[in-house]
Amino acid sequence: MVATMPSSVPTMECESPHFLMAQRQLDEIAAEMGLPSQLHERLRYPKRSMVVTIPVRMDDGLVKTFTGYRVHHDVALGPAKGGIRFHPEVNLGEVASLAMLMTWKCALMGLPYGGAKGGIRCKPWQMSLGEQERLTRRYTSEIINLLGPDKDIPAPDMYTNEQTMAWIMDTYSINVGHTVPSVVTGKPVSIGGSLGRHEATGRGVAYCARRAVKHHNLNVEQPTVVVQGFGNVGSIAAKQLYSSGYKIVAVSDVHGGIRNEEGLDIPRLMAYMSEFGRVAGFPNSTTISNAELLSTKCDILIPAALGNQLREDNMESLDCKIVVEGANGPTSPEADIYLHEKGVLVVPDILANAGGVTVSYFEWVQGLMQLFWTEQEVNERLEQIMGRACDRVFALSQERTLRPRMAALRLGVSTIAEAKRLRGLYP
Ligand code: NAD
């Protein structure tokens, strides 16, 4: 158990279990690297947090009020960058912890960004497209002073997508009086999005999985893979690994899981998913529960759905050699330590799912230059950046006998610490 730092900052509204977990990770690496205590204390909290009330006219004519958040954790390296999620469990603590992770992730990947995150507490699946559009536009208008291509650049996250980004870009552009595509990333290609952005996170996850197989000296001809979550990240990671000859033996979505030890036909499963909206019932597969999915024997387990899925109460049942974290925060600190001690290689979220923000960076650069790259150029540059980050994390992890998560954090935190030291304290 890692001791938390005694703090002179009074308890903040963001101190939820999610946020305390992010702080504990920082505390652990700060102690290991000897981070100066004043800087450590500053980095334990967001730079700024905005909570907004969003009135929305619903389809029945009544007005319903929602709560929204946008948090900037640190902006020492550049504009704040981070996704916006729509989910009923969104709260200030969750958003603040994800903003902190974004700071470390961008720094680790060498991107000129600070860390941000946003969200609206809502049930998007119970809302019409028109209601979602009005919600998105009013939220954008409420947080507009934070946004801008040099200030804060949102992207999609859970239950938001290219269309959501198009609405944000349009609302911002109308308010400032001219079109500003670079205020968001993850937007449709026809209005300035990047080729390869939609697939980037899943592609990066698959890339890390292949790199981890080599690093772990996994000498199997056809590594077996289990994927929790078959949305953007999970389905694309599965498809990429399937194309590389890996055997995907089980996958799941919010409705349940399926298994076939001989391997699932992923292109067919993707077609089935678009027709039926779920993986359950796919021909030649057995239906399994979420718990059965996680304990399925495999070489590589990819959690690509929610946070806190591999925990103290199920870590002993896991039967894999490598975990590649597609989702944000899927492994609790206890499970991370347990798996590491058991010899399981855990590729942490800030590395494994950084493909999305990396290609978001490419999209922003292309938009600012008004010069667009081919999909091949995007994918090659993504592989270069992901490869370099994987090598640095695995090397530091070995050199200092750190868990890969701590090695990745150390690289991210030391970059921020150096930037803050050089910039100094104002005034
Ligand atoms: P998504 O909405 O496209 O897909 C989420 C998937 O998880 C869906 O298949 C859903 O059915 C499934 N799911 C939800 N609850 C589940 C449960 N209890 N059990 C099993 N499956 C469940 O979202 P996404 O964009 O694929 O994001 C997934 C995760 O990856 C999130 O943690 C997100 O923060 C993280 N992430 C996404 C990106 C990105 O670019 N999309 C980038 C970085 C991190």
Side-chain angles (χ1 to χ4, degrees), residues 253-364:
D253 62 26
V254 68
H255 307 289
I258 54 168
R259 181 160 60 201
N260 178 347
E261 262 131 44
E262 299 309 312
L264 294 157
D265 182 331
I266 298 300
R268 279 205 181 150
L269 178 58
M270 288 175 89
Y272 179 90
M273 177 82 186
S274 17
E275 191 175 347
F276 298 101
R278 58 182 63 207
V279 296
F282 183 61
N284 300 325
S285 71
T286 318
T287 302
I288 52 171
S289 67
N290 189 43
E292 287 170 317
L293 176 107
L294 293 177
S295 59
T296 298
K297 184 179 169 62
C298 60
D299 295 310
I300 306 165
L301 172 62
I302 303 181
L306 309 169
N308 205 25
Q309 295 300 294
L310 317 182
R311 316 173 288 256
E312 239 174 328
D313 62 342
N314 66 4
M315 61 193 187
E316 286 174 22
S317 67
L318 305 177
D319 195 358
C320 58
K321 301 186 180 93
I322 294 171
V323 173
V324 184
E325 295 185 337
N328 281 314
T331 312
S332 75
E334 292 75 19
D336 193 48
I337 293 168
Y338 171 85
L339 289 169
H340 182 68
E341 285 172 357
K342 215 178 119 185
V344 175
L345 171 61
V346 180
V347 185
D349 47 7
I350 62 169
L351 171 62
N353 69 29
V357 71
T358 304
V359 177
S360 272
Y361 164 62
F362 298 163
E363 179 179 333
W364 181 69

Side-chain angles (χ1 to χ4, degrees), residues 85 87 98 102 105 117 155-160 197-202 205 227-235 251-257 273 277-279 290 293 303-307 309 325-330 349 352-357 360:
R85 76 170 45 172
H87 199 268
L98 291 167
M102 283 303 294
K105 187 187 295 185
K117 203 77 181 186
D157 194 77
M158 275 173 85
Y159 293 100
T160 56
R197 170 63 184 89
H198 182 76
E199 299 80 15
T201 308
V205 168
V227 184
Q228 184 197 41
F230 206 66
N232 175 279
V233 179
S235 67
V251 304
S252 69
D253 62 26
V254 68
H255 307 289
M273 177 82 186
R278 58 182 63 207
V279 296
N290 189 43
L293 176 107
L306 309 169
Q309 295 300 294
E325 295 185 337
N328 281 314
D349 47 7
N353 69 29
V357 71
S360 272

Side-chain angles (χ1 to χ4, degrees), residues 68-118:
Y69 307 90
R70 188 73 183 164
V71 173
H72 295 173
H73 171 256
D74 185 76
V75 294
L77 293 178
K81 187 91 192 80
I84 291 177
R85 76 170 45 172
F86 289 178
H87 199 268
E89 279 156 34
V90 164
N91 59 61
L92 185 57
E94 182 189 66
V95 174
S97 65
L98 291 167
M100 192 190 289
L101 280 187
M102 283 303 294
T103 303
W104 316 141
K105 187 187 295 185
C106 293
L108 168 67
M109 303 310 289
L111 309 179
Y113 289 137
K117 203 77 181 186

Side-chain angles (χ1 to χ4, degrees), residues 134-156:
R134 293 191 289 280
L135 176 74
T136 305
R137 288 185 181 278
R138 183 60 188 255
Y139 167 72
T140 306
S141 156
E142 294 297 338
I143 64 163
I144 205 154
N145 290 336
L146 294 183
L147 302 181
D150 301 323
K151 289 158 74 178
D152 177 354
I153 308 142

